[in-house]
Amino acid sequence: QQTLYFSRHGESEFNVIGRIGGDAKLSPRGRSYAQSLAKHIQALNLPSLQVWTSTLQRTKATSAGIPAPQLHLPELDEIWSGECENLSYEELAERFPKELALRDREKLKYRYPQGESYIDVMNRLVPVLTQMECETNVLTVSHQAVLRCILGYFLETPPEEIPYIHVPLHTIIKITLQGYHYNMETIKMPI
Ligand code: F6P
């Protein structure tokens, strides 16, 4: 039975201050999640476990303690917000009010200036998703927008709803193929 695991990186210093994008380090809570994640995954004793992360330091640090082969894939990097990288949502509202309004209206198609849209992220994920479908016991450690796109694919979420899928921090998401459909379970980790 095919089983895939997913997690956002542990809380980053940017999550704490509400900034988007960037390549911030884990916060102390994020580091503590990395430890509980490694413990939990190790205890599952999954045969031929693999870990796939983005190339950003917050995902690599989150999975570093897991004894399994690790792949770092740029396709799993967070949505690129171009000129809006590193800004807080308040700064976005001040400096790019029109952009924010456009994004609110059509979050799926909205592309950041010099950056990406959710549709762009979905397109760059296609080769990874095709590969993932052929694997079992892969733990993917990635980012909020990317995980929304991946889960939306496996759970057949209507596209317009994908940018709003709830993917909380410090939670392991497990999907299991049953017939032609995936069932999802979430495991909230104590940190
Ligand atoms: O806030 C964390 C984060 O991963 C940002 O880096 C990213 O821009 C954002 O989430 C994506 O979520 P949303 O599309 O809801 O802004």
Side-chain angles (χ1 to χ4, degrees):
Q1 197 182 37
Q2 190 204 11
T3 307
L4 298 168
Y5 296 85
F6 301 93
S7 174
R8 286 176 70 183
H9 53 81
E11 182 187 77
S12 71
E13 287 174 353
F14 263 25
N15 291 141
V16 176
I17 54 175
R19 289 184 182 274
I20 66 168
D23 191 12
K25 291 199 174 75
L26 294 183
S27 72
R29 274 163 51 83
R31 289 198 293 275
S32 142
Y33 172 67
Q35 285 178 357
S36 15
L37 175 69
K39 245 196 207 165
H40 184 92
I41 294 291
Q42 253 181 290
L44 297 176
N45 238 321
L46 302 169
S48 34
L49 168 71
Q50 304 174 56
V51 179
W52 297 3
T53 78
S54 76
T55 65
L56 299 167
Q57 61 172 336
R58 56 194 186 276
T59 60
K60 291 183 185 170
T62 301
S63 67
I66 303 171
Q70 310 234 350
L71 277 183
H72 307 298
L73 306 170
E75 292 89 340
L76 295 174
D77 287 356
E78 183 52 309
I79 189 169
W80 180 252
S81 43
E83 290 175 16
C84 300
E85 279 285 303
N86 304 311
L87 297 182
S88 67
Y89 291 104
E90 295 75 52
E91 287 168 341
L92 265 177
E94 272 169 34
R95 293 195 213 168
F96 298 93
K98 282 191 193 138
E99 293 293 324
L100 211 57
L102 284 173
R103 189 165 201 254
D104 276 349
R105 206 177 312 147
E106 262 197 317
K107 199 175 175 191
L108 178 68
K109 292 192 193 143
Y110 172 79
R111 179 181 280 148
Y112 281 107
Q114 310 299 324
E116 290 183 302
S117 66
Y118 271 81
I119 295 278
D120 293 331
V121 174
M122 289 156 102
N123 286 335
R124 73 155 136 103
L125 279 171
V126 169
V128 173
L129 290 169
T130 310
Q131 183 64 34
M132 210 179 266
E133 276 184 316
C134 305
E135 307 279 349
T136 193
N137 293 340
V138 173
L139 166 66
T140 300
V141 181
S142 182
H143 306 266
Q144 174 156 255
V146 171
L147 289 170
R148 284 173 173 158
C149 296
I150 295 177
L151 292 171
Y153 174 82
F154 285 112
L155 303 174
E156 296 168 87
T157 309
E160 290 70 28
E161 292 173 21
I162 288 179
Y164 302 98
I165 297 176
H166 182 54
V167 188
L169 284 172
H170 305 165
T171 302
I172 301 172
I173 296 166
K174 176 183 174 183
I175 65 168
T176 309
L177 189 61
Q178 246 141 35
Y180 290 156
H181 292 279
Y182 286 91
N183 287 342
M184 181 174 82
E185 277 169 63
T186 57
I187 307 141
K188 176 95 196 132
M189 299 298 288
I191 56 152

